[in-house]
Amino acid sequence: WFRFSQMERACRWDWDSAVVDDSGKPRGWTNGRARGAFVDVPTLHSCVAMLSASGSDAAALPRHIVFVDVHEYAPLERALNATGHWDNAKREYDFRRGSGTYFISALQGYLYQLTERIGVKEDVSKCYVVFPDAGAHRRCYTMAVKALGDIGLNQVLFIEKERVAEQTEHKDILYYVNPKGESESWDKLAGEFPDGAHVLLVDDFTNSGSTLFEAAKMIRKRVDKVNGAALAIHAFVTHFVGKCSQKVVANFVKQLRASPPLIDDFTCTDSIPKVIGWLKEEDAKLTKESGAQPQGGAGADGGDNGGDNGGGDNGG
């Protein structure tokens, strides 16, 4: 899992004895405000540097490394190439598959599987994809269009983020990219999803689920409820981080299982096994307490959603 430290505060840390962790113990370090000293933040670049360090058996075996749905691929590829350590076959990045020299995508496999599961493979006129930010749309809309066949560009949407001080807020507008490559308001073009629509809410990772649930609220506002229109929201994230906290995961499951549900079903990979264990545990607890299977769904898929590198066009 990788993303740049886009916000200054990600690299600036203070010592604060009042900050505590989930167990109530003092944690001390906080980056709540961009006022502390600059420090080196471990990123995937750091990991690449360590993994690329040659050991005593450096020439013994071919060395290959693969990343799944990284946030930005170009700078990471440059860093990997510069080490001269890896034997991956060089390939141009393929936006249709989300794959390249060092990269594969779990999203591609999910898109194919979902269209078969919900029965829209032959008719995607009521199928939409929503990305919670413009960056994800830029990386993945070509993949969505290819996987979903005849889906129009105005069915692949995104939400703009605004950073206000420490907070990230979403503009209450859905956008699409027209054939000229220009962003336009989908709200002015259509404004409402048709009755029976299936909306795929897609992101590369989620820390707490707040972005997914906020996006789901925006989507459900755009339905003609007066005339009984309804839609289904299917959420997918590659890496479910959950702030590496069981308390955060438990809260995510409660929101997911709310009735009526904001999100109808949720799928992720098991790239962070500890967190996925908590996800299954908390989901089982809530299901047992309720005595029945609620409407919402939570699932973790660790299958071969590997795109072209994973051994097939559909990736699993």
Side-chain angles (χ1 to χ4, degrees):
W1 169 51
F2 166 76
R3 63 181 308 196
F4 280 113
S5 298
Q6 296 170 327
M7 295 175 288
E8 183 180 329
R9 69 185 179 90
C11 294
R12 304 190 70 175
W13 290 77
D14 277 325
W15 177 264
D16 187 345
S17 59
V19 178
V20 297
D21 61 20
D22 291 342
S23 65
K25 297 178 181 178
R27 189 178 64 190
W29 291 106
T30 175
N31 67 338
R33 293 177 182 163
R35 65 185 183 187
F38 282 92
V39 297
D40 290 330
V41 177
T43 66
L44 208 52
H45 277 131
S46 309
C47 295
V48 165
M50 289 187 286
L51 290 169
S52 300
S54 297
S56 58
D57 60 345
L61 294 170
R63 298 170 296 263
H64 300 85
I65 190 166
V66 176
F67 298 93
V68 184
D69 285 329
V70 293
H71 202 73
E72 295 287 351
Y73 70 91
L76 186 57
E77 181 161 356
R78 288 195 296 269
L80 288 160
N81 287 339
T83 69
H85 185 78
W86 303 102
D87 298 316
N88 295 47
K90 297 294 187 290
R91 297 191 306 162
E92 289 291 325
Y93 191 84
D94 185 346
F95 284 93
R96 297 170 303 163
R97 295 189 172 102
S99 64
T101 302
Y102 306 103
F103 312 108
I104 59 177
S105 175
L107 172 58
Q108 187 204 25
Y110 172 75
L111 289 170
Y112 282 105
Q113 292 167 10
L114 181 67
T115 54
E116 292 183 3
R117 175 162 62 84
I118 63 180
V120 297
K121 194 171 183 180
E122 303 303 324
D123 180 12
V124 293
S125 61
K126 292 186 177 182
C127 196
Y128 294 80
V129 182
V130 176
F131 296 100
D133 62 70
H137 179 276
R138 172 176 53 81
R139 290 190 304 276
C140 301
Y141 87 92
T142 303
M143 189 191 308
V145 170
K146 178 180 183 290
L148 300 176
D150 295 325
I151 193 169
L153 292 180
N154 61 355
Q155 292 171 257
V156 185
L157 316 175
F158 66 93
I159 303 165
E160 284 279 18
K161 285 182 179 178
E162 282 186 324
R163 300 200 186 279
V164 181
E166 302 171 24
Q167 304 300 318
T168 300
E169 298 179 357
H170 290 91
K171 293 181 181 178
D172 192 9
I173 305 172
L174 290 177
Y175 295 90
Y176 76 101
V177 174
N178 66 25
K180 295 180 181 180
E182 302 166 337
S183 297
E184 290 191 10
S185 169
W186 179 83
D187 293 320
K188 292 181 180 178
L189 176 75
E192 286 186 348
F193 293 98
D195 185 30
H198 288 274
V199 181
L200 287 57
L201 184 55
V202 177
D203 208 353
D204 52 359
F205 79 97
T206 186
N207 227 345
S208 64
S210 60
T211 296
L212 291 177
F213 290 115
E214 286 302 314
K217 289 177 184 176
M218 288 178 59
I219 292 166
R220 292 201 180 276
K221 282 170 58 177
R222 290 161 169 81
V223 178
D224 185 6
K225 295 179 181 177
V226 175
N227 294 314
L231 55 74
I233 297 177
H234 314 275
F236 173 84
V237 297
T238 301
H239 308 291
F240 184 60
V241 183
K243 294 186 177 179
C244 296
S245 162
Q246 188 165 3
K247 183 178 179 181
V248 171
V249 174
N251 185 59
F252 174 85
V253 172
K254 286 180 181 178
Q255 292 184 78
L256 188 66
R257 293 298 194 181
S259 182
L262 277 173
I263 295 172
D264 293 276
D265 58 78
F266 170 76
T267 305
C268 63
T269 74
D270 58 357
S271 63
I272 308 176
K274 182 77 170 179
V275 177
I276 298 307
W278 291 333
L279 178 66
K280 293 177 178 178
E281 180 184 332
E282 295 298 330
D283 190 54
K285 281 183 191 175
L286 204 57
T287 301
K288 186 176 180 181
E289 289 170 5
S290 67
Q293 183 69 23
Q295 285 180 293
D301 176 13
D304 293 330
N305 291 345
D308 191 44
N309 288 36
D313 187 50
N314 292 358

